[in-house]
Amino acid sequence: MNLVESNKDETMQWAAITGVIATVSVFAIAQGLSYPLLSFILQRQGVSPAMIGLSAAMTPIGFILSSPLIPALARRFGAGRTALTCAALSAVVLALIGWTQNVYLWFPLRFLIGVVTNPLYVLSEIWVIALAPPARRGRVMGVYSTIISAGFATGPLCLLAVGTEGWPPFLVGIFAFVLCGICLASVLPRLPKVDEAGHQVSVLGFVPLAWLLLFAVIVAAGFEQGALALLPVYGTHHGITETRMSALLSVMIAGNIAMQVPLGLLAERLSARLVRLACVAITVLGCVLLPLLIESPLIWPMIFVWGAVSYGIYTMSIIELGERFTGSALVAGNAAFSLMWGVGGIAVPPLAGGAMDVMGAGGLPITLGLLCLALAIASLAGRRKASIVR
């Protein structure tokens, strides 16, 4: 009887994990669709590139400013109710964006969509971490990272089917957010109450507990956003065509998607901290090799691995977060991860772009390489055993 109950509990646990990952995958599709869609619309309206970039920055600013509020919202209203409300509000705000079609009104609306989608993402990630069996956390979080990346990559592909004009693309995004809420509601009774720990930890209070993990998140976000934004510019300096650079970026994203599960399995055999250090070291090596291989056929396998290990820094960090923290510290930690992802995504691309203005094309790999090297040095210097915070 005990064995039957144990098997039933395990089946329900995996069903809950599947449901939460499905929720996040649909959310990622909606987010991945909205970024290029709104840029295309603003471009047709004759809005300047600087204004388009400023408009796009409103969403990560919403992520940053809403992150410290998430632990309090989860405690006050419950994680499930907060996430469901955010899914509904995301659909409403996207509908308002489609209805207004005005660059100035989009500034507050895009800020709001960052505010209301962030808790949905953070709380879903907390549930996956809490549900994942410790012995299989590496592969579960690898699958999670893979599906998130695939969802973001699928979003723009939806535009090929529905176009970028009128209501059809907005309706796809709105439906995706509604479906996200439905998926979440279906598994809500099986989700753990991760927001009711006795000792409450704030986002700012979490920083000294795991500053190295948070620095790793800044590096991973800054690398991803900096590479996606500036590699096409880097390729132009080397006479690489736009078509070839687009293909290289696709290969980089493919490496990200394909390799997170193998990296997660490796983390189970070794440790997330050790695999993260290896990912950082290989990322630095990629920065050194980029100028040497950019015009060589070897750039294709190199950039595939580069995409895999650079995002692997984040995957390993989230695995270690789940190993070290529980309860309100886990909630605060995930919110802090979201905040630092926004900080890295906003700060590093302008820094790398400024370096390219001063040093030429080489400013990109130098900036990204020095950033990753600083993380490697900090990781080696700060290796000490951390106790689990409850």
Side-chain angles (χ1 to χ4, degrees), residues 3-345:
L3 181 60
V4 172
E5 289 179 355
S6 175
N7 290 336
K8 183 179 179 182
D9 288 343
E10 186 175 349
T11 300
M12 290 180 66
Q13 183 180 20
W14 285 108
I17 291 173
T18 303
V20 176
I21 290 179
T23 299
V24 180
S25 67
V26 177
F27 159 78
I29 291 171
Q31 285 287 86
L33 173 144
S34 66
Y35 279 101
L37 170 63
L38 302 186
S39 295
F40 284 134
I41 293 172
L42 291 176
Q43 199 170 26
R44 281 200 303 267
Q45 293 177 356
V47 176
S48 69
M51 186 69 83
I52 293 174
L54 194 57
S55 174
M58 291 298 102
T59 298
I61 289 173
F63 291 163
I64 292 172
L65 295 183
S66 65
S67 292
L69 306 176
I70 295 172
L73 287 171
R75 286 193 298 268
R76 174 69 179 83
F77 302 105
R81 187 180 299 174
T82 299
L84 284 174
T85 302
C86 286
L89 289 175
S90 298
V92 171
V93 176
L94 188 57
L96 288 173
I97 290 173
W99 179 54
T100 54
Q101 297 281 318
N102 182 288
V103 63
Y104 299 106
L105 291 176
W106 279 7
F107 275 86
L109 288 173
R110 294 185 82 167
F111 171 79
L112 278 177
I113 208 162
V115 170
V116 298
T117 57
N118 193 33
L120 179 62
Y121 171 76
V122 169
L123 294 171
S124 296
E125 192 165 81
I126 291 167
W127 280 317
V128 175
I129 294 171
L131 286 165
R136 298 182 181 179
R137 184 174 283 122
R139 72 192 74 184
V140 171
M141 298 314 298
V143 169
Y144 172 84
S145 294
T146 296
I147 290 178
I148 283 279
S149 299
F152 277 111
T154 301
L157 295 178
C158 293
L159 298 179
L160 295 177
V162 298
T164 61
E165 297 185 5
W167 274 102
F170 287 99
L171 291 175
V172 171
I174 292 166
F175 175 75
F177 281 126
V178 172
L179 183 59
C180 177
I182 293 171
C183 290
L184 181 58
S186 68
V187 296
L188 206 53
R190 302 175 183 174
L191 299 180
K193 296 186 186 221
V194 296
D195 51 277
E196 296 180 359
H199 176 63
Q200 295 178 1
V201 180
S202 68
V203 171
L204 291 179
F206 181 82
V207 173
L209 300 178
W211 63 269
L212 186 59
L213 287 181
L214 298 177
F215 182 33
V217 173
I218 291 174
V219 171
F223 185 95
E224 180 183 78
Q225 298 301 313
L228 291 176
L230 295 172
L231 265 178
V233 181
Y234 182 86
T236 300
H237 278 274
H238 285 272
I240 308 298
T241 65
E242 290 184 6
T243 303
R244 189 166 188 257
M245 282 310 303
S246 296
L248 281 170
L249 286 175
S250 297
V251 169
M252 186 176 184
I253 294 169
N256 175 346
I257 294 171
M259 295 302 295
Q260 297 315 303
V261 173
L263 287 173
L265 290 169
L266 190 60
E268 292 178 6
R269 296 181 66 87
L270 303 173
S271 73
R273 187 176 300 185
L274 186 60
V275 176
R276 185 180 69 240
L277 184 58
C279 286
V280 173
I282 297 170
T283 303
V284 173
L285 179 61
C287 293
V288 174
L289 293 176
L290 180 64
L292 304 175
L293 301 181
I294 186 64
E295 299 177 45
S296 159
L298 292 176
I299 190 63
W300 299 97
M302 175 272 196
I303 210 159
F304 179 89
V305 173
W306 215 32
V309 295
S310 60
Y311 193 76
I313 296 170
Y314 179 80
T315 301
M316 296 306 109
S317 298
I318 202 71
I319 292 171
E320 187 175 343
L321 179 72
E323 291 172 349
R324 291 174 53 186
F325 299 96
T326 60
S328 67
L330 182 59
V331 178
N334 267 94
F337 268 39
S338 179
L339 190 155
M340 294 305 168
W341 185 272
V343 169

Side-chain angles (χ1 to χ4, degrees), residues 222-223 225-234 237 344-369 371:
F223 185 95
Q225 298 301 313
L228 291 176
L230 295 172
L231 265 178
V233 181
Y234 182 86
H237 278 274
I346 288 176
V348 174
L351 181 66
M356 293 177 77
D357 286 341
V358 174
M359 294 183 278
L364 177 63
I366 289 172
T367 302
L368 298 180
L371 188 65

Side-chain angles (χ1 to χ4, degrees), residues 366-389:
I366 289 172
T367 302
L368 298 180
L370 287 176
L371 188 65
C372 293
L373 185 60
L375 175 59
I377 293 170
S379 299
L380 291 171
R383 292 190 68 181
R384 58 177 178 227
K385 198 170 182 177
S387 58
I388 297 178
V389 176

